[in-house]
Amino acid sequence: MYKKFIHFAFLIGLYMICLSQVEHIPDSVSNNQISSLKKQLLTVKNDSLRVRIYQGIGFQYETSNLDSSLKYTQKGLALAKEYRFAWGEVALMTDLGSVFREQGKLAESLDMLLQSLEIAKANNLDYEICRIYRRFANIYTDLENYPKAIGYVLQALKIDKEAQRIKSIRINEMILGDAYEKIDRLDSASFYIMDAFQSPDKFSEQTVYQVMGNIEFKKGNYKQANNFFQQGISISLKDNDRLTASEICASASNLFIKLNKKDSAIYYALKGIEYGNHVLYKRGSMLNGNLLAELYDSTNPSLAFYYYKMATEAKDKLFGVNNLQAIQDLLAKEETKQKELNDAKLAYQNRLRLFVLVAGLVVLLITALMLFRNNLHRKKANIVLEGQKEKIESALSELKSTQSQLIQSEKMASLGELTAGIAHEIQNPLNFVNNFSEVNRELIDEMKAELATGNVHSANEIADDIKENSEKINHHGKRAGDIVKGMLQHSRKSTGVKEPTDINALCDEYLRLSYHGLRAKDKSFNAVPITIGMKTDFDESLPKINVVPQDIGRVILNLINNAFYAASLNLRQQAEGASGLNSIKTPTVWVSTKKEGEKIFINVRDNGPGIPKEILDKIFQPFFTTKPTGQGTGLGLSLSYDIVKAHGGEILVNTRESEGTEFIISLPAYSK
């Protein structure tokens, strides 16, 4: 009886151990532990527990013997499918996807993970969904699509934080640190990897050491980098994790190449080949083979060719045309499937709208019949009509009032952006005034001290310095005054009187004011990871033309603001964690002028997402806007159109989706 109790307790403990294995990163790999798990398969009868034991053995083998890991993971998956054990199917299919990836079968890995994700979502297994997202991130990291990888990990991190899964949060942070290091965003990489490293859960220390070593290497801290690499290799070999050891050896070899220590570089690259071959890890063969080919190129060409061929074969198996084509086909299939689901959802929503519309029409018909019946009584009908007339007039009055308020709001928004630009422009001369005033105060104290000692010569020299500084204060004070005076000329209420205006100066001024105004007003404008570019091409032969400068300035400011918003739109989405960005182009706004015949043209162009064809005809309509609620009144382009027309000109738009938009203002080239 006592022996049965001990046996039962051991099984329960084994069940909890298997349940706690939440990632591919076991705390240690032990042959005794694998042997113990295998023995339990001979005695355990519970099918769900057998599935967990198979998963545990597969985990333990994953970093030391991929073939054995594949064997036991597939056995567990077959058993889970036989008994329709949803959690077991998802967990083992996810593990199988990892094994395929580590074997270099990226297409098979992606296919398995897509199937696993479908089952996980159908059964609301949010924990397993996070694991799958992390495996997607690993695949996209292999494909060097780091924005996509980061997007998936951020999704997993959000879910894990809501569920307060500390260990999973640290794993997400480790993967983020690795991804940010690879795109040279070292501050972000350090933030996440240090958080993972300081966690009380000591999981995958070798990978953490590898990433920290890579960060220090890129920062030029070679000694610290080497220490991290050595610790990572030591822990990897202790845990029988030759897979990670192979990658860290490649990093260490790179470090010694940088330090011009060729023998050490060759040693670690050879070790990386040895560890990678032990677990048939093709990525390890590719990384270390390329390094050895480079190291032997000048001293042993035949050996260099041998390692180059090894690395090339490994790369072809990982990223060959057939493999990449299979991945693209899978992604295309998945996108088609998602489109079909979205189409079905849209069709359902359309049917629902149709039902609501029909119901509304029925209600309206009933109401109309009732009104028709009531209208048989003329007196009552007149009262009803009078009341409706008053309501319509009231509504019209409210509409006009609202329209006036919106127009005023649009003007105030432009004024606010101008004010922010003025503040930035005037800051520099004010800094000079403050600094030179402070210096003069100190010089006066020194002059008093010299006069007190009778040193008139030194006092005179100090007085000359004070005079020179005072002249600089006067100069920069006048400069600030000129800036304020010039800006107020543009922000004052329009008189409607045309006057000769330098269009080039007007464009240049509003371009700078728009840029600085948006930086001061919109915090997300500063959050994007790439600097917004500004390029100008002004026709110096442009004559002054008769326009209302305040009105034309408002048009130029509105178009430039829209261009900055569109150019930075993709990067704003990335800063917010969007996962669908496959490529990043530097956002840029171009402003140019030219004279052709009797017309002057002002062009404002951006390389944003462009304007969809279906809304192109609506952009000049009042109150139409594509910006989020609260960020636009929909009156900017409408007012701009009216202002340009009032000046006898035209405003045109050219746009191509995903490439950008160009607005072209043409004005009569009247002489001065």
Side-chain angles (χ1 to χ4, degrees), residues 96-208:
L96 198 57
S98 291
V99 176
F100 283 150
R101 169 189 167 255
E102 288 156 4
Q103 287 181 327
K105 302 174 182 178
L106 298 185
E108 290 90 335
S109 174
L110 184 60
D111 185 33
M112 190 60 61
L113 291 174
L114 288 171
Q115 295 180 49
S116 177
L117 181 62
E118 185 175 353
I119 300 172
K121 287 184 175 180
N123 290 274
N124 295 319
L125 301 173
D126 70 309
Y127 173 77
E128 295 301 325
I129 289 173
C130 291
R131 292 185 68 224
I132 295 167
Y133 283 160
R134 286 191 282 272
R135 301 311 180 273
F136 278 137
N138 290 335
I139 291 175
Y140 281 109
T141 297
D142 290 342
L143 296 172
E144 298 183 356
N145 190 341
Y146 301 116
K148 193 84 170 179
I150 291 170
Y152 274 112
V153 183
L154 289 174
Q155 290 183 69
L157 181 61
K158 180 181 179 181
I159 297 172
D160 284 328
K161 281 186 175 181
E162 290 174 354
Q164 297 183 346
R165 290 189 284 261
I166 302 302
K167 188 169 183 178
S168 296
I169 290 172
R170 299 306 176 226
I171 293 171
N172 292 321
E173 291 174 337
M174 181 194 70
I175 299 173
L176 283 172
D178 183 41
Y180 279 122
E181 177 270 315
K182 285 182 169 60
I183 58 176
D184 295 331
R185 291 181 59 181
L186 301 185
D187 290 340
S188 297
S190 298
F191 172 78
Y192 284 110
I193 205 67
M194 288 303 297
D195 207 13
F197 182 70
Q198 293 171 4
S199 167
D201 296 312
K202 295 298 182 181
F203 61 88
S204 188
E205 288 182 282
Q206 55 267 47
T207 302
V208 174

Side-chain angles (χ1 to χ4, degrees), residues 362-377 380-381 384:
V362 171
V363 172
L364 288 174
L365 181 60
I366 294 172
T367 304
L369 289 173
M370 293 176 64
L371 289 173
F372 176 76
R373 182 181 178 183
N374 292 336
N375 283 337
L376 296 176
H377 305 282
K380 293 182 179 180
V384 172

Side-chain angles (χ1 to χ4, degrees), residues 84 137 186 225 331 450 536 595 611:
R84 297 182 180 180
L186 301 185
L331 292 175
E450 294 295 337
T536 59
K595 182 178 182 295
I611 303 174

Side-chain angles (χ1 to χ4, degrees), residues 54-312:
Y54 274 124
Q55 187 201 16
I57 297 173
F59 271 138
Q60 300 292 353
Y61 270 129
E62 190 169 332
T63 56
S64 60
N65 191 325
L66 291 177
D67 289 339
S68 296
S69 178
L70 180 64
K71 171 185 172 182
Y72 284 96
T73 303
Q74 287 178 329
K75 284 185 176 182
L77 178 58
L79 187 61
K81 287 183 175 181
E82 180 181 353
Y83 291 98
R84 297 182 180 180
F85 183 20
W87 175 89
E89 284 188 56
V90 173
L92 285 156
M93 289 173 73
T94 303
D95 294 345
L96 198 57
S98 291
V99 176
F100 283 150
R101 169 189 167 255
E102 288 156 4
Q103 287 181 327
K105 302 174 182 178
L106 298 185
E108 290 90 335
S109 174
L110 184 60
D111 185 33
M112 190 60 61
L113 291 174
L114 288 171
Q115 295 180 49
S116 177
L117 181 62
E118 185 175 353
I119 300 172
K121 287 184 175 180
N123 290 274
N124 295 319
L125 301 173
D126 70 309
Y127 173 77
E128 295 301 325
I129 289 173
C130 291
R131 292 185 68 224
I132 295 167
Y133 283 160
R134 286 191 282 272
R135 301 311 180 273
F136 278 137
N138 290 335
I139 291 175
Y140 281 109
T141 297
D142 290 342
L143 296 172
E144 298 183 356
N145 190 341
Y146 301 116
K148 193 84 170 179
I150 291 170
Y152 274 112
V153 183
L154 289 174
Q155 290 183 69
L157 181 61
K158 180 181 179 181
I159 297 172
D160 284 328
K161 281 186 175 181
E162 290 174 354
Q164 297 183 346
R165 290 189 284 261
I166 302 302
K167 188 169 183 178
S168 296
I169 290 172
R170 299 306 176 226
I171 293 171
N172 292 321
E173 291 174 337
M174 181 194 70
I175 299 173
L176 283 172
D178 183 41
Y180 279 122
E181 177 270 315
K182 285 182 169 60
I183 58 176
D184 295 331
R185 291 181 59 181
L186 301 185
D187 290 340
S188 297
S190 298
F191 172 78
Y192 284 110
I193 205 67
M194 288 303 297
D195 207 13
F197 182 70
Q198 293 171 4
S199 167
D201 296 312
K202 295 298 182 181
F203 61 88
S204 188
E205 288 182 282
Q206 55 267 47
T207 302
V208 174
Y209 279 119
Q210 178 188 10
V211 178
M212 293 177 71
N214 287 335
I215 293 172
E216 295 302 326
F217 178 36
K218 288 186 175 181
K219 289 182 176 180
N221 302 326
Y222 301 133
K223 183 176 181 181
Q224 291 178 337
N226 185 41
N227 289 338
F228 283 129
F229 290 149
Q230 297 305 321
Q231 292 179 75
I233 294 171
S234 175
I235 295 172
S236 298
L237 297 178
K238 179 182 176 183
D239 290 347
N240 201 20
D241 182 3
R242 289 182 172 84
L243 189 148
T244 305
S246 176
E247 287 199 5
I248 302 178
C249 282
S251 297
S253 179
N254 258 320
L255 172 62
F256 285 112
I257 290 174
K258 182 70 174 180
L259 296 174
N260 201 26
K261 295 183 179 181
K262 187 174 181 180
D263 291 341
S264 297
I266 292 173
Y267 171 80
Y268 281 102
L270 288 171
K271 281 293 182 181
I273 292 284
E274 176 188 340
Y275 299 145
N277 288 341
H278 186 83
V279 290
L280 303 178
Y281 185 43
K282 294 181 177 59
R283 181 175 175 82
S285 299
M286 180 184 71
L287 294 173
N288 290 287
N290 280 326
L291 291 171
L292 287 169
E294 177 186 344
L295 288 164
Y296 282 121
D297 183 56
S298 60
T299 58
N300 194 333
S302 60
L303 197 55
F305 178 75
Y306 168 77
Y307 285 113
Y308 172 76
K309 185 178 179 181
M310 174 191 296
T312 302

Side-chain angles (χ1 to χ4, degrees), residues 25-45:
I25 310 171
D27 293 333
S28 64
V29 178
S30 168
N31 291 328
N32 292 333
Q33 191 173 4
I34 293 174
S35 299
S36 176
L37 290 171
K38 287 181 178 179
K39 289 178 182 179
Q40 295 310 305
L41 286 175
L42 303 175
T43 58
V44 171
K45 303 301 182 183

Side-chain angles (χ1 to χ4, degrees), residues 488-508:
L488 289 176
Q489 288 293 320
H490 295 297
S491 62
R492 73 177 188 267
K493 184 177 180 181
S494 173
T495 61
V497 177
K498 294 182 179 180
E499 57 188 66
T501 302
D502 186 340
I503 295 297
N504 287 342
L506 201 66
C507 290
D508 183 64

